[in-house]
Amino acid sequence: MHSVHYELIKVCPTTGARLGRLHTPHGVFETPMFMPVGTQATVKTISPEELYDMESQIILANTYHLFLRPGHELVRTAGGLHKFMNYKRGMLTDSGGFQVFSLSAMRKIEEAGVTFRSHIDGSKRFLSPEIATEVQEALGADIAMAFDECIPYPADYEYAKTSTERTSRWARRCLEVHTGNNQSLFGIVQGGMYPDLRRLSAEKLSQMDFAGYGIGGLSVGEPKPLMYEVLAETTQHLPASKARYLMGVGTPDCMAEAVALGVDMFDCVFPTRVARNGTAMVPTGRLVVRNAVYTEDFRPIDESCTCYTCRNYSRAYIRHLFHCKETFALRLLSIHNLHFLLDFAKQMRLSIASDRFPAFKNDFMLNYRI
């Protein structure tokens, strides 16, 4: 058995929503789950202890960034990411594929791998399925991701087909060199916006012995209805016994729709990114606390929220901090936004367990404004 494995507990009889547990070397974690992103071995402005307080389970780190700085060998010497960053719960590293392919003007894709120029110093670097796997083994997260090509939107059919087939070949190469060592590997389904390519990718990867499956190449600029359509086509071709991870998606509306389609895991930089812009996530959508209307508003961001920020500080105070360019403002909003999404995932779990998920989803979507 893989060191990471999924346990299906219950399926919503009305939708495809799944309640499950993900067993890892660093604990057993409940799904559906949101995973905070710690790109450079830190969740921006947040300590591990604060993550524990908000019931964070698995967090992400980024292979591309850590490969460039400080280097995976240094992290290996430190005893792996868990020890290096002092996070004691679950951890996942992406393969670096998305970051490399976002450097479209600075990279060259070949069957062997991808040559690219570092965004830090412009030096020429190379990543392949074998190197990405080796780097992730050195980083030592519980879950590593296969090296893939993230297809841009829009992309013509022939490009998408060629890319998807190469991603499947790369996935097999990752499996062939992955040694395990208390770490499990997830494959990544691609296929662009083409249902037949999604099905082909899902079926090919399902035949390989991955511990779980990422769904990549969505939320890359396509309209949301198209994303849900492609997602529905993808999940039905993935094994029910394995975890399903929708990569890079983390707004509550998208999470609710995706959970209804059978997705278990989510990650996104959205909550900390918008926090740095002065935006708080609330059940009705977004509250831009920098706005003048909150100058004398002494209520918490969300009166129903139990996070550290809402228990202790007002909208007026946080607005003041932003206008003074005080970094405490970024911390307070980041804490609130991460708590909001982690709690939202928890509420979805509770609603599935008590057969209330369709009503929970409908009530939330009625009040949520993007």
Side-chain angles (χ1 to χ4, degrees), residues 23-29 82 87-91 140-142 182:
H23 296 254
T24 82
H26 286 86
V28 180
F29 306 112
H82 283 93
Y87 188 76
K88 296 178 173 63
R89 295 182 183 170
M91 201 173 299
D142 303 276
N182 231 22

Side-chain angles (χ1 to χ4, degrees), residues 1-219:
M1 181 180 284
H2 295 284
S3 60
V4 173
H5 63 276
Y6 177 76
E7 177 190 1
L8 180 60
I9 306 297
K10 185 173 185 175
V11 179
C12 170
T14 308
T15 68
R18 292 150 44 106
L19 184 68
R21 296 190 190 105
L22 198 64
H23 296 254
T24 82
H26 286 86
V28 180
F29 306 112
E30 299 177 329
T31 65
M33 69 163 68
F34 175 76
M35 302 181 290
V37 177
T39 300
Q40 304 192 84
T42 180
V43 178
K44 289 191 188 303
T45 78
I46 308 294
S47 73
E49 291 72 24
E50 288 164 329
L51 290 168
Y52 304 151
D53 287 344
M54 59 182 85
E55 299 182 34
S56 168
Q57 302 186 96
I58 297 176
I59 65 171
L60 265 71
N62 185 278
T63 297
Y64 165 82
H65 287 280
L66 297 175
F67 174 59
L68 296 180
R69 185 175 56 188
H72 58 290
E73 290 300 343
L74 185 146
V75 177
R76 192 203 303 272
T77 303
L81 271 177
H82 283 93
K83 287 188 178 178
F84 187 52
M85 64 182 290
N86 192 33
Y87 188 76
K88 296 178 173 63
R89 295 182 183 170
M91 201 173 299
L92 181 152
T93 45
D94 62 13
S95 68
F98 178 81
Q99 285 70 33
V100 168
F101 296 112
S102 68
L103 302 168
S104 56
M106 302 163 65
R107 49 93 169 146
K108 180 181 180 183
I109 308 167
E110 299 172 297
E111 187 66 23
V114 185
T115 303
F116 64 97
R117 291 200 175 275
S118 163
H119 73 285
I120 298 168
D121 60 9
S123 61
K124 186 179 282 190
R125 308 298 288 267
F126 179 73
L127 267 179
S128 66
E130 293 78 11
I131 294 172
T133 304
E134 177 196 339
V135 170
Q136 289 183 88
E137 288 193 332
L139 297 176
D142 303 276
I143 301 168
M145 302 301 296
F147 193 59
D148 67 321
E149 179 181 353
C150 183
I151 299 169
Y153 175 82
D156 66 55
Y157 185 85
E158 284 308 313
Y159 177 95
K161 184 171 186 290
T162 299
S163 172
T164 301
E165 290 171 346
R166 181 167 49 226
T167 284
S168 293
R169 293 191 296 273
W170 282 358
R172 186 168 294 284
R173 284 165 56 188
C174 291
L175 270 179
E176 287 170 354
V177 297
H178 189 253
T179 60
N181 292 336
N182 231 22
Q183 179 185 79
S184 290
L185 192 62
F186 279 24
I188 302 178
V189 177
Q190 289 290 348
M193 301 301 150
Y194 301 99
D196 63 321
L197 296 181
R198 286 282 170 177
R199 183 174 65 252
L200 179 70
S201 180
E203 289 174 349
K204 280 193 173 183
L205 290 173
S206 296
Q207 292 165 9
M208 304 181 203
D209 187 26
F210 285 106
Y213 293 91
I215 301 166
L218 292 178
S219 193

